[in-house]
Amino acid sequence: MATLDQCRAALDRLAQNLSSADGSVRRAATLDRSLSCRITDLDVTFLGRLADGTIQEVTSVPGPPPHKAEIRLSMAGDDLVALVDGELNFAKAWGSGRVKLEAGLRDLLRLRTLL
């Protein structure tokens, strides 16, 4: 089971990957949306903002998210680490229910490039 520090490090790596991306990935990352990532096995939620091509203002709170973010992810800590490390295919994980993603339809269409 991934630790809280490993999950935070994975989110930091994801933010770095987004900020150094170019092309369609960079354009998709320019959304300005609130973001939550619930780590189910640790009972913690990371909150932040997807803006200016990266994830900003990341904080963590115990339990479920205190408010409904515009983009909401939910998964186990090991799955977050595996996704960021490229060891888990997002589409397969989402299709099987290992990863849950909720967002508006327009955001989902743009996010598919990122994920």
Side-chain angles (χ1 to χ4, degrees):
M1 183 166 93
T3 66
L4 185 63
D5 289 337
Q6 289 170 319
C7 291
R8 176 60 189 238
L11 286 173
D12 289 343
R13 284 192 312 276
L14 178 58
Q16 179 63 37
N17 292 347
L18 291 175
S19 67
S20 63
D22 53 0
S24 60
V25 173
R26 180 71 175 175
R27 282 190 300 280
T30 60
L31 290 169
D32 185 5
R33 302 286 188 270
S34 59
L35 177 69
S36 69
C37 182
R38 177 144 169 75
I39 307 302
T40 55
D41 55 337
L42 297 177
D43 194 28
V44 68
T45 301
F46 289 95
L47 305 170
R49 184 140 207 99
L50 180 61
D52 298 325
T54 190
I55 302 171
Q56 305 173 353
E57 306 167 17
V58 177
T59 60
S60 62
V61 295
H67 53 80
K68 187 175 176 180
E70 293 165 296
I71 299 170
R72 300 167 302 282
L73 289 158
S74 180
M75 67 195 79
D78 288 340
D79 289 337
L80 172 64
V81 173
L83 280 170
V84 173
D85 289 345
E87 298 169 0
L88 179 62
N89 178 280
F90 178 82
K92 289 180 182 178
W94 187 30
S96 70
R98 286 176 65 180
V99 173
K100 292 181 176 60
L101 170 64
E102 297 177 64
L105 180 59
R106 190 173 293 179
D107 290 341
L108 286 172
L109 292 174
R110 289 189 67 189
L111 288 170
R112 69 183 174 169
T113 306
L114 292 176
L115 306 170

